[in-house]
Amino acid sequence: MPTTTLQIPTEDGQADAFAAFPDDGGRHPGVLMYGDAFGIRPALREIARELAGHGYYVLVPNFFHRHGPTPVVDLPAHIGEDARPALVAQVMPLIRAHTTERVLSDAEAYLAFLTGRPEVSAGPVAVTGYCIGGLLALRTAAAHPGRVAAVAGFHGPVGADGPDRQRLLSTLTAEVYLGHAESDLTPEDLGELDRALDAAGVGYTSEIYPGTVHGFTMSDTDAFDPAALQLHWDRLLPLLGRTLATG
């Protein structure tokens, strides 16, 4: 599986990125993948490679590029619960500095770069995200309704937009998939979110993964749940298959 590191031009300098794509010399649908707040690392690269193996060009940008290249924060090989609080304390200022304006400016640059790659086929792309990346994925899809056919978020902060959530959702045209950790969302919260999605008039699936905690897709954390990661693939791959052109 070919992989490469790239530099994406943005309004605020170069954003380093990781890409994975099929080894057949052809053109394939593009997927913009936002990682979690811990950034590009082996566990995230493995998810990108797995997705690329199903026939997609996967671009994973360092969305904290204004603070330096990957790794922006030094990480242990395994992010255990003992290390997590200190690491979260380091990344929270980066999250707060990543304003909506920065998100949207970067999204424009990322999509232009992705769709301009010679390995990427014409037509709309998909956007996926994990943790905070799920919110970035939704914002990207909402800002580019004609360019994004599908958006998926896993264990993301779906309530982070607060009173602006309805305005965000109302501009979506992409098909939406949201897979929530049980520790992140109560059934009541899920019902409220689903009512907001209904009001927005978008096609969506929104569900809680039973018995999971925040971060369940990331194999280098104590939150990792192999069965939940497989369920994530069982939901994500059909979504991409029915929304992205493969010819």
Side-chain angles (χ1 to χ4, degrees):
M1 181 63 56
T3 64
T4 187
T5 55
L6 301 161
Q7 295 290 323
I8 304 174
T10 78
E11 289 187 357
D12 294 319
Q14 299 287 313
D16 53 304
F18 173 82
F21 46 94
D23 186 19
D24 60 8
R27 301 179 71 191
H28 299 273
V31 178
L32 174 61
M33 178 182 290
Y34 291 110
D36 61 8
F38 295 138
I40 302 172
R41 59 196 194 280
L44 191 61
R45 293 187 185 100
E46 181 54 37
I47 291 175
R49 282 194 294 266
E50 174 72 18
L51 182 54
H54 291 276
Y56 301 97
Y57 183 102
V58 185
L59 180 67
V60 188
N62 168 24
F63 52 83
F64 290 149
H65 62 89
R66 294 171 182 82
H67 305 275
T70 299
V72 179
V73 174
D74 289 332
L75 297 170
H78 183 81
I79 303 171
E81 286 306 308
D82 55 338
R84 186 179 181 86
L87 293 171
V88 170
Q90 291 182 66
V91 300
M92 282 307 298
L94 309 184
I95 293 174
R96 287 192 289 268
H98 201 52
T99 62
T100 300
E101 290 74 20
R102 287 183 170 183
V103 172
L104 297 182
S105 173
D106 284 352
E108 176 66 40
Y110 300 156
L111 289 175
F113 186 87
L114 174 62
T115 56
R117 297 296 300 172
E119 305 93 341
V120 175
S121 55
V125 302
V127 187
T128 66
Y130 301 86
C131 183
I132 186 64
L135 179 58
L136 304 187
L138 283 172
R139 286 178 174 168
T140 298
H144 299 278
R147 300 167 73 181
V148 178
V151 57
F154 299 92
H155 48 83
V158 293
D161 275 290
D164 291 330
R165 181 172 67 184
Q166 196 61 50
R167 183 172 59 185
L168 172 72
L169 297 178
S170 68
T171 57
L172 285 169
T173 58
E175 184 175 344
V176 178
Y177 177 80
L178 299 173
H180 313 286
E182 189 174 67
S183 66
D184 286 343
L185 209 64
T186 67
E188 292 74 21
D189 292 333
L190 179 65
E192 180 182 345
L193 174 62
D194 288 354
R195 286 189 291 273
L197 288 162
D198 287 334
V202 298
Y204 74 93
T205 300
S206 176
E207 61 182 332
I208 293 173
Y209 286 28
T212 58
V213 297
H214 184 77
F216 58 77
T217 59
M218 295 296 150
S219 62
D220 60 352
T221 72
D222 284 352
F224 180 56
D225 185 324
L229 177 64
Q230 183 57 52
L231 180 58
H232 139 282
W233 289 121
D234 293 344
R235 298 294 193 260
L236 179 60
L237 294 175
L239 170 70
L240 301 183
R242 64 178 172 264
T243 56
L244 298 184
T246 57

Short mmCIF file of all heavy atoms in Angstrom, two decimals, residues 80-124:
data_model
loop_
_atom_site.label_atom_id
_atom_site.label_comp_id
_atom_site.label_asym_id
_atom_site.label_seq_id
_atom_site.Cartn_x
_atom_site.Cartn_y
_atom_site.Cartn_z
N GLY A 80 -2.04 5.44 27.72
CA GLY A 80 -2.81 4.86 28.81
C GLY A 80 -3.52 5.93 29.61
O GLY A 80 -3.27 7.14 29.45
N GLU A 81 -4.39 5.49 30.49
CA GLU A 81 -5.15 6.44 31.31
C GLU A 81 -4.25 7.24 32.23
O GLU A 81 -4.60 8.36 32.62
CB GLU A 81 -6.23 5.70 32.11
CG GLU A 81 -7.40 5.25 31.26
CD GLU A 81 -8.02 6.38 30.45
OE1 GLU A 81 -8.36 7.42 31.03
OE2 GLU A 81 -8.14 6.23 29.22
N ASP A 82 -3.08 6.69 32.58
CA ASP A 82 -2.17 7.44 33.43
C ASP A 82 -1.55 8.62 32.68
O ASP A 82 -1.28 9.68 33.26
CB ASP A 82 -1.07 6.52 33.97
CG ASP A 82 -0.32 5.80 32.86
OD1 ASP A 82 -0.88 5.66 31.75
OD2 ASP A 82 0.83 5.37 33.10
N ALA A 83 -1.33 8.47 31.37
CA ALA A 83 -0.71 9.52 30.57
C ALA A 83 -1.73 10.48 29.97
O ALA A 83 -1.38 11.62 29.63
CB ALA A 83 0.11 8.90 29.44
N ARG A 84 -2.96 10.05 29.85
CA ARG A 84 -3.96 10.82 29.11
C ARG A 84 -4.20 12.22 29.68
O ARG A 84 -4.25 13.19 28.90
CB ARG A 84 -5.27 10.03 29.05
CG ARG A 84 -6.32 10.69 28.17
CD ARG A 84 -7.60 9.85 28.12
NE ARG A 84 -8.57 10.47 27.27
CZ ARG A 84 -8.65 10.28 25.95
NH1 ARG A 84 -7.79 9.48 25.36
NH2 ARG A 84 -9.56 10.89 25.25
N PRO A 85 -4.37 12.41 30.98
CA PRO A 85 -4.67 13.77 31.48
C PRO A 85 -3.61 14.80 31.10
O PRO A 85 -3.95 15.93 30.69
CB PRO A 85 -4.75 13.58 33.00
CG PRO A 85 -5.14 12.15 33.17
CD PRO A 85 -4.44 11.42 32.08
N ALA A 86 -2.35 14.44 31.21
CA ALA A 86 -1.29 15.39 30.86
C ALA A 86 -1.29 15.69 29.36
O ALA A 86 -1.06 16.84 28.96
CB ALA A 86 0.07 14.84 31.29
N LEU A 87 -1.56 14.68 28.55
CA LEU A 87 -1.60 14.90 27.11
C LEU A 87 -2.79 15.76 26.70
O LEU A 87 -2.67 16.65 25.85
CB LEU A 87 -1.65 13.56 26.37
CG LEU A 87 -0.39 12.70 26.50
CD1 LEU A 87 -0.64 11.32 25.91
CD2 LEU A 87 0.79 13.37 25.80
N VAL A 88 -3.93 15.50 27.32
CA VAL A 88 -5.11 16.32 27.04
C VAL A 88 -4.85 17.77 27.43
O VAL A 88 -5.25 18.71 26.71
CB VAL A 88 -6.34 15.76 27.77
CG1 VAL A 88 -7.52 16.74 27.69
CG2 VAL A 88 -6.75 14.41 27.17
N ALA A 89 -4.16 17.99 28.54
CA ALA A 89 -3.83 19.34 28.97
C ALA A 89 -2.96 20.05 27.93
O ALA A 89 -3.05 21.28 27.76
CB ALA A 89 -3.14 19.32 30.32
N GLN A 90 -2.12 19.29 27.22
CA GLN A 90 -1.28 19.89 26.19
C GLN A 90 -2.05 20.22 24.92
O GLN A 90 -1.77 21.23 24.26
CB GLN A 90 -0.13 18.94 25.85
CG GLN A 90 0.90 18.76 26.94
CD GLN A 90 2.03 17.84 26.50
OE1 GLN A 90 2.80 18.19 25.59
NE2 GLN A 90 2.12 16.67 27.11
N VAL A 91 -3.01 19.38 24.56
CA VAL A 91 -3.70 19.61 23.29
C VAL A 91 -4.90 20.55 23.42
O VAL A 91 -5.32 21.14 22.41
CB VAL A 91 -4.16 18.28 22.64
CG1 VAL A 91 -2.97 17.38 22.37
CG2 VAL A 91 -5.20 17.56 23.48
N MET A 92 -5.44 20.73 24.62
CA MET A 92 -6.61 21.59 24.77
C MET A 92 -6.35 23.02 24.29
O MET A 92 -7.22 23.62 23.62
CB MET A 92 -7.13 21.56 26.20
CG MET A 92 -7.93 20.33 26.54
SD MET A 92 -9.30 20.00 25.39
CE MET A 92 -10.30 21.47 25.60
N PRO A 93 -5.21 23.64 24.60
CA PRO A 93 -4.97 24.98 24.06
C PRO A 93 -4.93 24.99 22.52
O PRO A 93 -5.34 25.98 21.90
CB PRO A 93 -3.61 25.36 24.65
CG PRO A 93 -3.49 24.54 25.88
CD PRO A 93 -4.14 23.24 25.55
N LEU A 94 -4.47 23.91 21.92
CA LEU A 94 -4.44 23.83 20.46
C LEU A 94 -5.86 23.75 19.90
O LEU A 94 -6.17 24.36 18.88
CB LEU A 94 -3.63 22.62 20.01
CG LEU A 94 -2.23 22.44 20.60
CD1 LEU A 94 -1.53 21.24 19.97
CD2 LEU A 94 -1.40 23.70 20.42
N ILE A 95 -6.71 22.99 20.57
CA ILE A 95 -8.11 22.88 20.16
C ILE A 95 -8.80 24.22 20.27
O ILE A 95 -9.52 24.66 19.36
CB ILE A 95 -8.84 21.81 20.99
CG1 ILE A 95 -8.28 20.42 20.68
CG2 ILE A 95 -10.34 21.85 20.74
CD1 ILE A 95 -8.83 19.32 21.57
N ARG A 96 -8.58 24.93 21.39
CA ARG A 96 -9.22 26.23 21.57
C ARG A 96 -8.74 27.25 20.53
O ARG A 96 -9.50 28.12 20.10
CB ARG A 96 -8.96 26.75 22.98
CG ARG A 96 -9.76 26.00 24.06
CD ARG A 96 -9.69 26.72 25.39
NE ARG A 96 -8.36 26.62 25.98
CZ ARG A 96 -8.00 25.67 26.83
NH1 ARG A 96 -8.87 24.73 27.19
NH2 ARG A 96 -6.79 25.64 27.35
N ALA A 97 -7.47 27.13 20.12
CA ALA A 97 -6.93 28.06 19.12
C ALA A 97 -7.41 27.73 17.71
O ALA A 97 -7.28 28.57 16.80
CB ALA A 97 -5.41 28.04 19.16
N HIS A 98 -7.96 26.53 17.53
CA HIS A 98 -8.38 26.11 16.19
C HIS A 98 -9.82 26.58 15.97
O HIS A 98 -10.77 25.80 16.03
CB HIS A 98 -8.25 24.60 16.05
CG HIS A 98 -8.18 24.13 14.62
ND1 HIS A 98 -7.29 24.66 13.71
CD2 HIS A 98 -8.90 23.21 13.94
CE1 HIS A 98 -7.46 24.07 12.55
NE2 HIS A 98 -8.43 23.19 12.66
N THR A 99 -9.96 27.85 15.71
CA THR A 99 -11.27 28.49 15.59
C THR A 99 -12.01 28.01 14.35
O THR A 99 -11.44 27.41 13.43
CB THR A 99 -11.08 30.00 15.50
OG1 THR A 99 -10.31 30.30 14.31
CG2 THR A 99 -10.36 30.56 16.71
N THR A 100 -13.31 28.31 14.32
CA THR A 100 -14.11 27.96 13.15
C THR A 100 -13.53 28.59 11.89
O THR A 100 -13.51 27.95 10.82
CB THR A 100 -15.56 28.41 13.35
OG1 THR A 100 -16.11 27.75 14.50
CG2 THR A 100 -16.41 28.07 12.14
N GLU A 101 -13.06 29.81 12.01
CA GLU A 101 -12.46 30.47 10.85
C GLU A 101 -11.26 29.69 10.33
O GLU A 101 -11.08 29.51 9.11
CB GLU A 101 -12.04 31.89 11.21
CG GLU A 101 -13.19 32.85 11.46
CD GLU A 101 -13.90 32.61 12.79
OE1 GLU A 101 -13.29 31.97 13.69
OE2 GLU A 101 -15.05 33.04 12.93
N ARG A 102 -10.43 29.21 11.24
CA ARG A 102 -9.27 28.42 10.83
C ARG A 102 -9.70 27.08 10.23
O ARG A 102 -9.14 26.61 9.24
CB ARG A 102 -8.34 28.19 12.01
CG ARG A 102 -7.56 29.43 12.43
CD ARG A 102 -6.60 29.13 13.57
NE ARG A 102 -5.69 30.25 13.81
CZ ARG A 102 -4.71 30.24 14.71
NH1 ARG A 102 -4.52 29.15 15.46
NH2 ARG A 102 -3.93 31.29 14.85
N VAL A 103 -10.69 26.46 10.85
CA VAL A 103 -11.20 25.19 10.34
C VAL A 103 -11.66 25.34 8.89
O VAL A 103 -11.31 24.53 8.01
CB VAL A 103 -12.36 24.67 11.21
CG1 VAL A 103 -13.02 23.46 10.57
CG2 VAL A 103 -11.88 24.33 12.61
N LEU A 104 -12.45 26.38 8.62
CA LEU A 104 -13.01 26.54 7.29
C LEU A 104 -11.96 26.96 6.27
O LEU A 104 -12.00 26.54 5.11
CB LEU A 104 -14.16 27.56 7.34
CG LEU A 104 -15.35 27.14 8.21
CD1 LEU A 104 -16.45 28.19 8.16
CD2 LEU A 104 -15.89 25.77 7.80
N SER A 105 -11.02 27.79 6.68
CA SER A 105 -9.93 28.18 5.79
C SER A 105 -9.11 26.95 5.40
O SER A 105 -8.80 26.74 4.21
CB SER A 105 -9.04 29.22 6.46
OG SER A 105 -7.90 29.49 5.69
N ASP A 106 -8.78 26.14 6.38
CA ASP A 106 -8.01 24.92 6.11
C ASP A 106 -8.81 23.94 5.27
O ASP A 106 -8.26 23.28 4.36
CB ASP A 106 -7.60 24.25 7.42
CG ASP A 106 -6.43 24.95 8.10
OD1 ASP A 106 -5.84 25.86 7.50
OD2 ASP A 106 -6.11 24.56 9.24
N ALA A 107 -10.10 23.81 5.55
CA ALA A 107 -10.92 22.86 4.80
C ALA A 107 -10.90 23.17 3.31
O ALA A 107 -10.82 22.26 2.47
CB ALA A 107 -12.35 22.87 5.33
N GLU A 108 -10.97 24.43 2.98
CA GLU A 108 -10.91 24.83 1.58
C GLU A 108 -9.59 24.38 0.96
O GLU A 108 -9.55 23.85 -0.16
CB GLU A 108 -11.06 26.34 1.46
CG GLU A 108 -10.92 26.88 0.05
CD GLU A 108 -12.03 26.41 -0.87
OE1 GLU A 108 -13.19 26.37 -0.41
OE2 GLU A 108 -11.73 26.10 -2.04
N ALA A 109 -8.50 24.59 1.69
CA ALA A 109 -7.18 24.20 1.19
C ALA A 109 -7.06 22.68 1.06
O ALA A 109 -6.53 22.17 0.06
CB ALA A 109 -6.10 24.74 2.11
N TYR A 110 -7.54 21.96 2.07
CA TYR A 110 -7.44 20.50 2.04
C TYR A 110 -8.24 19.92 0.87
O TYR A 110 -7.76 19.01 0.17
CB TYR A 110 -7.95 19.89 3.34
CG TYR A 110 -7.22 20.32 4.59
CD1 TYR A 110 -7.87 20.26 5.83
CD2 TYR A 110 -5.91 20.78 4.56
CE1 TYR A 110 -7.22 20.64 7.00
CE2 TYR A 110 -5.26 21.17 5.71
CZ TYR A 110 -5.92 21.10 6.93
OH TYR A 110 -5.28 21.48 8.08
N LEU A 111 -9.46 20.40 0.68
CA LEU A 111 -10.29 19.87 -0.40
C LEU A 111 -9.71 20.20 -1.77
O LEU A 111 -9.73 19.35 -2.68
CB LEU A 111 -11.72 20.41 -0.29
CG LEU A 111 -12.55 19.87 0.88
CD1 LEU A 111 -13.89 20.58 0.93
CD2 LEU A 111 -12.77 18.36 0.75
N ALA A 112 -9.20 21.41 -1.92
CA ALA A 112 -8.59 21.78 -3.21
C ALA A 112 -7.38 20.90 -3.49
O ALA A 112 -7.18 20.44 -4.63
CB ALA A 112 -8.19 23.25 -3.18
N PHE A 113 -6.59 20.64 -2.46
CA PHE A 113 -5.41 19.80 -2.63
C PHE A 113 -5.81 18.37 -2.96
O PHE A 113 -5.27 17.74 -3.88
CB PHE A 113 -4.58 19.83 -1.35
CG PHE A 113 -3.25 19.13 -1.45
CD1 PHE A 113 -2.13 19.79 -1.93
CD2 PHE A 113 -3.12 17.80 -1.07
CE1 PHE A 113 -0.90 19.14 -2.03
CE2 PHE A 113 -1.91 17.14 -1.16
CZ PHE A 113 -0.79 17.82 -1.65
N LEU A 114 -6.77 17.83 -2.23
CA LEU A 114 -7.21 16.45 -2.43
C LEU A 114 -7.76 16.25 -3.83
O LEU A 114 -7.36 15.31 -4.54
CB LEU A 114 -8.26 16.09 -1.38
CG LEU A 114 -8.94 14.72 -1.51
CD1 LEU A 114 -7.92 13.59 -1.38
CD2 LEU A 114 -10.04 14.57 -0.45
N THR A 115 -8.67 17.11 -4.25
CA THR A 115 -9.31 16.92 -5.55
C THR A 115 -8.36 17.24 -6.71
O THR A 115 -8.62 16.85 -7.84
CB THR A 115 -10.57 17.78 -5.67
OG1 THR A 115 -10.24 19.16 -5.42
CG2 THR A 115 -11.62 17.33 -4.66
N GLY A 116 -7.26 17.91 -6.40
CA GLY A 116 -6.28 18.19 -7.43
C GLY A 116 -5.22 17.12 -7.61
O GLY A 116 -4.39 17.20 -8.53
N ARG A 117 -5.23 16.11 -6.75
CA ARG A 117 -4.23 15.04 -6.86
C ARG A 117 -4.49 14.21 -8.12
O ARG A 117 -5.65 13.87 -8.43
CB ARG A 117 -4.28 14.12 -5.64
CG ARG A 117 -3.94 14.80 -4.32
CD ARG A 117 -2.51 15.29 -4.30
NE ARG A 117 -1.56 14.21 -4.49
CZ ARG A 117 -0.24 14.42 -4.67
NH1 ARG A 117 0.23 15.65 -4.69
NH2 ARG A 117 0.58 13.39 -4.82
N PRO A 118 -3.45 13.84 -8.86
CA PRO A 118 -3.66 13.04 -10.07
C PRO A 118 -4.20 11.64 -9.78
O PRO A 118 -4.77 11.00 -10.66
CB PRO A 118 -2.26 12.96 -10.69
CG PRO A 118 -1.31 13.23 -9.56
CD PRO A 118 -2.03 14.18 -8.66
N GLU A 119 -4.04 11.17 -8.53
CA GLU A 119 -4.53 9.83 -8.17
C GLU A 119 -6.01 9.84 -7.79
O GLU A 119 -6.60 8.77 -7.57
CB GLU A 119 -3.73 9.28 -6.99
CG GLU A 119 -2.22 9.24 -7.20
CD GLU A 119 -1.52 10.50 -6.67
OE1 GLU A 119 -2.21 11.53 -6.47
OE2 GLU A 119 -0.30 10.43 -6.47
N VAL A 120 -6.62 11.03 -7.70
CA VAL A 120 -8.01 11.15 -7.24
C VAL A 120 -8.94 11.34 -8.43
O VAL A 120 -8.71 12.19 -9.29
CB VAL A 120 -8.15 12.31 -6.24
CG1 VAL A 120 -9.62 12.53 -5.85
CG2 VAL A 120 -7.31 12.03 -4.99
N SER A 121 -10.01 10.57 -8.45
CA SER A 121 -10.97 10.65 -9.54
C SER A 121 -11.87 11.87 -9.39
O SER A 121 -11.98 12.45 -8.31
CB SER A 121 -11.81 9.37 -9.60
OG SER A 121 -12.43 9.11 -8.35
N ALA A 122 -12.49 12.26 -10.49
CA ALA A 122 -13.38 13.40 -10.47
C ALA A 122 -14.64 13.09 -9.66
O ALA A 122 -15.02 11.94 -9.49
CB ALA A 122 -13.75 13.77 -11.90
N GLY A 123 -15.26 14.15 -9.19
CA GLY A 123 -16.51 13.98 -8.46
C GLY A 123 -16.37 14.31 -7.00
O GLY A 123 -15.28 14.62 -6.51
N PRO A 124 -17.49 14.27 -6.27
CA PRO A 124 -17.46 14.60 -4.84
C PRO A 124 -16.58 13.65 -4.04
O PRO A 124 -16.29 12.53 -4.47
CB PRO A 124 -18.93 14.47 -4.42
CG PRO A 124 -19.71 14.57 -5.68
CD PRO A 124 -18.84 13.98 -6.74
#
